[in-house]
């Protein structure tokens, strides 16, 4: 019987959740759901020195914001708990002892200073070793005596023990070159403080928890040979591995804090839509479908020194993956996702794509009555806070504003700043407003455009305003003035908004309503003299 699909996201609580971590969690979520399986959140907190308080909360908040609901983990009890490695120490001791008993591991009593000078000596003599295995051949009696005497020790893997075997291909990177040579000599499994190293804890937990697929960042690829040695030493069946390529900035540099936002909390604070960020991350590296690495090929004989460049499988069947800016919700992503279509090549995470996706996710939301209502309700408190004196913050009004501005809103907070004239009278003193006035030749022309239109609009019965063809009125009145439509419309736009761009003038009028439209035009008519002081 095959075991049920179970994946894990296993962050170390060493600081805020970064985009790279969110992307790893996301792909775990997608792949688990795709396979009809589950995933858990495991906190790898065995390195107390690197722990940062609040990290776990930050990770959980980031996952919840993105809509990535793990099935088991902190706050969600399950059969594999506890989900904090610091609460599983007995388990690591049990397994370390197993390896000691079978000779797959041994105790090392060398002090930190001794180890340091050994490492230097080996390096000087040009040997590709980091430890001289001095403690490997201590007799059982001696080990027992030194342990009894309270001497501190660590547990090391005896790396000459595990049977060398062919490695299963990585689901993304394909067959990998044997990287044993780059591993430390007899890697440490248990530290002298009795905490496990990442490697021991990770392998023990993945096995104990029944993880079927280990999906994590490319930076862990070099650890795979050691993990496979551990699986072999325990006689455990290894899970399937899939490593996600490193994400790059558009200039090709590695994503890092110094180059702008990488913390998920920054994206939350800037008001990006979670589904847009999820869409953006999912599409990074989602290349073309490449059947050469699909599960069905895992039985292929692997040669341990084959080239790691899986792209060389050019003859394999390929089907199109989505375009790098396809707007998809998480359920749609899950439906279309295919891990074998993820490239092993480093992928650029381009912020301009996020802008595009965010805007289009918003527009998608606005296209349904429900989505529009929800967005208006979500934004109302912020609008009220930003415009405390405004009498234009009702939900029905906000919905009209949102529809008029859609396509101009890149992020939700843009609603607060893109068109302030929908919430308060226009500012005629802003530099933008003043610059607009200079595009209108004179005070007289301003009034020539404004006044007859004002009369026409005033004559529209108020109950007809909503459905009235205001655009035609403006067109006709413009014609009568003989002014260029650019000048005429600039007058109208200036009087209504004080800004140089925005929705069309009739649209602005419709949103504002008749009363406010007339009030603004009247106000402008009475103040126009102030804007052309040199004429008076
Ligand atoms: N704790 C590791 C990290 O923080 C997880 C590595 C793994 O997924 O095996 O990235």
């Amino acid at each position: 019987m095959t075991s049920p699909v179970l994946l894990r996201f296993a962050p170390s609580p060493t600081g805020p959740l970064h985009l790279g971590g969110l992307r790893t969690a996301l792909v775990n979520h997608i792949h688990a759901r795709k396979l009809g399986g589950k995933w858990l959140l495991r906190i790898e907190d065995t390195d107390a020195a690197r722990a940062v308080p609040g990290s776990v909360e930050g990770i959980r908040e980031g996952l919840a914001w993105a809509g990535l609901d793990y099935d088991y983990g902190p706050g969600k009890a399950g059969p594999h708990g506890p989900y904090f490695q610091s609460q599983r120490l007995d388990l690591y001791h049990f397994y370390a002892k197993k390896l000691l008993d079978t000779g797959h591991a041994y105790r090392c009593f060398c002090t930190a200073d001794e180890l340091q000078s050994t490492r230097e000596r080996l390096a000087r003599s040009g040997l590709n070793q980091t430890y001289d295995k001095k403690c490997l051949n201590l007799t059982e009696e001696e080990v027992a005596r030194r342990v009894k005497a309270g001497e501190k020790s660590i547990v090391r893997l005896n790396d000459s023990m595990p049977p060398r075997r062919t490695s299963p291909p990585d689901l993304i990177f394909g067959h990998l070159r044997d990287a044993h040579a780059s591993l430390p000599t007899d890697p440490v499994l248990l530290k002298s403080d009795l905490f496990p190293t990442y490697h021991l804890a990770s392998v023990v937990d993945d096995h104990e928890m029944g993880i079927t697929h280990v999906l994590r960042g490319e930076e862990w690829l070099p650890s795979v040979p050691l993990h496979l040695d551990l699986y072999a030493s325990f006689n455990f069946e290894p899970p399937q591995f899939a490593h996600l390529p490193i994400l790059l900035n558009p200039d090709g540099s590695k994503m890092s804090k110094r180059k702008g936002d990488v913390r998920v909390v920054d994206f939350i604070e800037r008001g990006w839509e979670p589904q847009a960020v999820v869409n953006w991350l999912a599409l990074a590296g989602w290349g073309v479908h490449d059947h050469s690495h699909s599960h069905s090929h895992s039985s292929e004989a692997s040669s341990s020194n084959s080239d790691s460049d899986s792209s060389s499988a050019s003859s394999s069947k390929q089907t199109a993956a989505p375009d790098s800016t396809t707007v998809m919700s998480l359920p749609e992503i899950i439906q279309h996702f295919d891990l074998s279509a993820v490239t092993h090549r480093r992928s650029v995470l381009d912020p301009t794509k996020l802008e595009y996706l965010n805007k289009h996710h918003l527009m998608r939301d606005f296209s349904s009555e429900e989505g529009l209502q929800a967005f208006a309700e979500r934004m109302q408190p912020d609008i009220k806070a930003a415009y405390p004196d405004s009498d234009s913050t009702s939900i029905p009004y906000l919905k009209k504003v949102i529809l008029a501005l859609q396509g101009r809103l890149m992020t939700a907070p843009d609603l607060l700043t893109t068109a302030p004239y929908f919430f308060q009278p226009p500012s005629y003193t802003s530099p933008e407003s003043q610059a607009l006035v200079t595009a209108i030749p004179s005070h007289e022309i301003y009034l020539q455009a404004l006044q007859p239109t004002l009369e026409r609009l005033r004559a529209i019965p108020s109950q007809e305003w909503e459905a009235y063809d205001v655009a035609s009125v403006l067109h006709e009145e413009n014609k009568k003035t003989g002014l260029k439509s650019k000048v005429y419309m600039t007058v109208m736009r200036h009087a209504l908004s004080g800004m140089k761009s925005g929705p069309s003038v009739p649209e602005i009028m419709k949103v504002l309503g008749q009363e406010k439209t007339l009030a603004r035009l009247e106000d402008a008519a009475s103040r126009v003299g102030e804007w052309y002081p040199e004429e008076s």
Side-chain angles (χ1 to χ4, degrees), residues 8 13 25 56 75 81 121 152 172 221 227 285 292 347 352 371 377 459 462 475 478 482:
R8 88 300 195 275
V56 177
R121 177 168 51 79
K152 282 208 158 166
I172 292 172
L221 209 47
H227 294 186
S292 65
S347 339
T352 61
E377 286 173 8
S462 57
H475 188 68
N478 180 183

Side-chain angles (χ1 to χ4, degrees), residues 121 151 256 281 293 324 335 364 386 409 426 476 492 495 505 514 536:
R121 177 168 51 79
E151 220 178 296
S256 78
L281 291 173
H293 308 127
S324 64
Q335 193 189 336
R364 234 192 186 196
L409 305 177
E476 286 162 27
M492 294 300 151
V505 170
Q514 189 178 23
S536 50

Side-chain angles (χ1 to χ4, degrees), residues 160-474:
S160 48
M161 276 293 281
R164 288 285 185 266
R165 33 181 227 166
T166 54
S167 359
D170 186 274
L171 296 179
I172 292 172
F173 278 76
H175 296 290
L176 293 159
R177 228 186 283 270
D178 184 348
H180 266 95
S182 62
L183 291 178
T185 311
D186 290 352
V188 179
L189 304 178
L190 211 56
K191 296 177 276 186
S192 59
D193 60 5
L194 297 179
F195 273 74
T197 55
Y198 154 69
H199 307 289
L200 176 67
S202 172
V203 166
V204 164
D205 282 345
D206 286 340
H207 172 75
E208 274 283 319
M209 293 177 165
I211 301 298
T212 53
H213 300 70
V214 167
L215 229 157
R216 61 188 171 195
E218 180 183 343
E219 65 274 24
W220 298 105
L221 209 47
S223 302
V224 172
L226 168 54
H227 294 186
L228 289 172
D229 281 353
L230 279 166
Y231 283 101
S233 304
F234 286 123
N235 209 11
F236 294 160
E237 190 57 38
Q240 300 228 37
F241 289 102
H243 289 82
L244 293 164
I246 283 169
L247 296 174
L248 302 176
N249 291 309
D251 67 359
S253 60
K254 246 174 144 179
M255 254 185 13
S256 78
K257 184 118 174 48
R258 274 170 289 120
K259 307 245 174 173
D261 290 344
V262 288
R263 303 180 320 162
V264 174
V265 66
D266 295 327
F267 287 78
I268 300 177
E269 278 165 12
R270 281 173 196 256
W272 294 102
E273 299 304 302
Q275 71 264 37
V277 172
V278 157
N279 194 162
W280 183 49
L281 291 173
L283 288 174
W286 187 348
V288 265
H289 195 289
D290 184 343
H291 290 273
S292 65
H293 308 127
S294 57
H295 306 209
S296 58
H297 287 246
S298 54
S299 58
E300 254 176 20
S302 65
S303 79
S304 57
N305 60 358
S306 74
D307 199 298
S308 69
D309 184 6
S310 52
S311 66
S312 57
S314 55
S315 62
S316 62
K317 265 192 285 165
Q318 294 187 334
T319 55
D323 184 73
S324 64
T325 47
T326 307
V327 178
M328 286 182 286
S329 64
L330 186 51
E332 287 166 331
I333 292 169
I334 292 168
Q335 193 189 336
H336 296 291
F337 190 78
D338 185 344
L339 195 60
S340 65
V342 173
T343 172
H344 69 288
R345 291 192 195 88
R346 300 190 163 190
S347 339
V348 170
L349 204 49
D350 180 353
T352 61
K353 286 190 180 161
L354 175 60
E355 292 173 3
Y356 174 91
L357 290 168
N358 205 81
K359 177 163 141 182
H360 285 84
H361 272 282
L362 286 176
M363 285 166 66
R364 234 192 186 196
D365 286 351
F366 305 157
S367 68
S368 78
E369 176 51 33
E370 254 182 358
L372 183 61
Q373 175 78 20
F375 188 74
E377 286 173 8
R378 172 180 142 200
M379 297 307 292
Q380 192 184 41
D382 292 349
I383 302 268
K384 284 188 167 167
Y387 301 97
D389 302 326
S390 179
D391 58 357
S392 309
T393 57
S394 72
I395 296 291
Y397 180 77
L398 291 183
K399 281 157 74 172
K400 283 191 209 166
V401 173
I402 294 160
L403 287 180
L405 292 177
Q406 69 170 314
R408 296 174 187 277
L409 305 177
M410 192 175 79
T411 62
D414 288 350
L415 181 61
L416 303 175
T417 52
T418 300
Y421 51 84
F422 280 132
F423 310 112
Q424 66 185 16
S427 155
Y428 295 125
T429 52
S430 70
E432 181 173 344
S433 176
Q434 289 174 356
L436 261 189
V437 170
T438 62
I440 306 160
S442 68
H443 174 178
E444 285 73 27
I445 288 180
Y446 198 110
L447 285 175
Q448 188 190 334
L450 194 66
Q451 239 137 13
T453 303
L454 178 54
E455 298 317 319
R456 276 286 299 276
L457 296 174
R458 196 179 275 138
I460 298 173
S462 57
Q463 68 279 12
E464 287 177 33
W465 178 263
E466 194 80 25
Y468 211 88
D469 187 359
V470 169
S472 294
V473 170
L474 297 179

